[in-house]
Amino acid sequence: MSFPSPEKELDLSTVELKTLKVKELKKILEHWDETCKGCVEKNDFIRKIEELMPKYAPNAAKARTEF
């Protein structure tokens, strides 16, 4: 799933989440109308996105497991 952002287009099937800034990770969650309560570190946000990806971006989640 790709969605527009002011800076660039993100393709969740190929983007390396750990290279994104926390601000960008938060935008992904905001786009999904989700929050990450208790998330403090970047890895917390990445874990939450990976957990929710099958629900909001199933094609991207499937593509990521094929790496």
Side-chain angles (χ1 to χ4, degrees):
M1 171 178 121
S2 295
F3 55 91
S5 73
E7 299 86 28
K8 59 189 167 196
E9 185 94 4
L10 286 178
D11 182 357
L12 291 177
S13 61
T14 58
V15 71
E16 191 63 45
L17 294 174
K18 62 186 171 190
T19 64
L20 299 178
K21 296 177 180 175
V22 171
K23 182 179 178 181
E24 293 171 301
L25 297 171
K26 286 181 180 180
K27 281 185 181 183
I28 293 170
L29 291 171
E30 286 174 18
H31 180 75
W32 293 344
D33 292 325
E34 293 282 350
T35 58
C36 192
K37 291 184 180 181
C39 291
V40 178
E41 297 184 11
K42 186 176 187 176
N43 284 336
D44 298 329
F45 290 97
I46 292 171
R47 198 172 305 114
K48 185 69 172 182
I49 289 169
E50 288 173 341
E51 175 186 315
L52 294 170
M53 199 177 292
K55 178 179 178 183
Y56 292 100
N59 292 337
K62 185 175 186 265
R64 293 178 72 82
T65 60
E66 294 172 354
F67 282 126

